[in-house]
Amino acid sequence: AKVDDFQEQFLFYSVFPVTIPAHCRAQLAEFCVRANFGTVIGNFELAIETGTLRYKTSIDVYGSVLEIEMIRQLIETNLSMVDQYWPALMQLIYGGVSPVDALKSLEETSLEEIAA
């Protein structure tokens, strides 16, 4: 977590406990772009040079007061997204699945859970 007093922002990062192998980074970058499209709160970030992957949620509180409830919601959203996307990321990194297929698998799983 990071509080930027000058910018009046609160940021929360989840750093994935896996270094993305160099041979997977281009595909993972595509995955991040596809996953980020349409995401309302937060985004995936990939450091191409190091293979560090993280998910960031943030809020600008300029002219307002940062409340505990705001922080709780950002953290919960962040952790929920990491949990939701983890299986697809593992398929992409270790299963040789394409970014499109990994995300499609994630969508199918989500639909199955809704139907159940």
Side-chain angles (χ1 to χ4, degrees):
K2 178 182 175 187
V3 175
D4 185 333
D5 290 326
F6 181 74
Q7 296 289 331
E8 298 184 39
Q9 298 171 335
F10 174 79
L11 302 96
F12 186 81
Y13 294 94
S14 285
V15 179
F16 286 80
V18 175
T19 299
I20 310 306
H23 71 276
C24 294
R25 292 179 191 166
Q27 283 195 311
L28 196 62
E30 178 185 343
F31 177 93
C32 290
V33 169
R34 290 178 180 277
N36 285 340
F37 185 80
T39 300
V40 178
I41 299 175
N43 62 285
F44 287 97
E45 299 179 340
L46 173 64
I48 296 288
E49 298 82 16
T50 64
T52 299
L53 177 65
R54 61 189 187 183
Y55 192 82
K56 176 185 73 184
T57 48
S58 59
I59 189 169
D60 186 332
V61 292
Y62 177 78
S64 185
V65 176
L66 183 61
E67 301 287 341
I68 294 296
E69 184 61 22
M70 297 166 139
I71 294 170
R72 186 190 64 75
Q73 288 178 353
L74 278 178
I75 292 172
E76 284 182 3
T77 297
N78 187 297
L79 298 176
S80 174
M81 291 296 284
V82 169
D83 285 346
Q84 180 181 349
Y85 281 85
W86 180 257
L89 288 164
M90 294 298 96
Q91 286 181 334
L92 185 126
I93 297 167
Y94 298 111
V97 175
S98 73
V100 171
D101 288 340
L103 288 167
K104 195 177 292 184
S105 171
L106 179 67
E107 291 168 4
E108 290 169 359
T109 301
S110 296
L111 289 174
E112 289 172 5
E113 289 174 0
I114 291 170

